[in-house]
Amino acid sequence: ALEGNDSPFSFIETLKSPLASSSKPAPVDEQAPLRMGYSYFALCGDPLLDPALDPYPDGLLARLAPAGENAVWLHVELGHLAPVPWAQATHLEQRRAALRDLVARAARHGMKIFLYFNEPRSLPRASPVFKQHPDWRGVEEKDFNAVCTSAPEVRAALRDAITGLCRAVPGLGGFFTITASENLTNCWSHGQGAKCPRCQDRKPAEVIAEASATI
């Protein structure tokens, strides 16, 4: 609630500010049930590249932990954190270093960092990737094509990218995926898998489960 001359969203600065209490946070309890939340003031953008967008300053983590949370999540694109053959990875090490810092800061408050993926991301229809790998071209939607996860090489690239990320940032809590969101990912993510020559004879649940299991 606003008081006096408080401006809208002034609570954000309050949440960012350090707590006066000097009590030591509890260590991460690996056996505790997962109680995961999201930042009150996360903005669209690339917080691992732009420190000004930090959604989890120490002040917020220090308040979430006593409230019962033991994990928070961050939306990322895999191609920003690991090399994949259908994305141009830039500033990869800078983002990984920022993620390691966030994981370490969260751990000091007894919390884990989880990453949210929509993968693999679709590509423009004219992408040179599909010219080099025509069997990777999945279903089309609004001038974009899915990168088909029924192609074994695509799943292998996903697996290798996740493996490399876990080795580069070993303290991660884990991942979750949303495979039928607003983003076109696997060929059945928007219910059009029958238009793909590799996915048309496969059940939607099979393709979607395989994509998540690969990650």
Side-chain angles (χ1 to χ4, degrees), residues 84-87 120-123 127-139 145-158 185 187 196-199:
V84 290
W86 51 84
R121 293 300 181 99
S122 60
L123 298 176
S127 170
V129 170
F130 294 133
K131 295 179 182 179
Q132 298 169 13
H133 304 278
D135 55 329
W136 293 7
R137 187 186 293 274
V139 298
N145 283 91
V147 179
C148 181
T149 56
S150 288
E153 297 88 352
V154 170
R155 296 197 305 277
L158 275 174
T185 54
C187 291
C196 172
R198 288 164 300 278
C199 297

Side-chain angles (χ1 to χ4, degrees), residues 16-88:
K16 288 181 178 180
S17 62
L19 287 176
S21 173
S22 59
S23 60
K24 187 176 181 180
V28 175
D29 182 355
E30 302 289 352
Q31 303 303 316
L34 184 62
R35 297 185 294 273
M36 181 165 59
Y38 191 60
S39 174
Y40 289 93
F41 45 83
L43 300 174
C44 292
D46 193 347
L48 296 178
L49 199 58
D50 183 356
L53 298 178
D54 180 13
Y56 295 110
D58 283 334
L60 178 60
L61 294 173
R63 288 167 170 82
L64 293 178
E69 289 192 24
N70 56 12
V72 291
W73 62 270
L74 187 68
H75 174 233
V76 296
E77 293 188 30
L78 182 58
H80 287 171
L81 289 166
V84 290
W86 51 84
Q88 294 292 327

Side-chain angles (χ1 to χ4, degrees), residues 170-182:
L172 284 170
F175 312 100
F176 67 92
T177 63
I178 299 180
T179 53
S181 72
E182 67 276 16

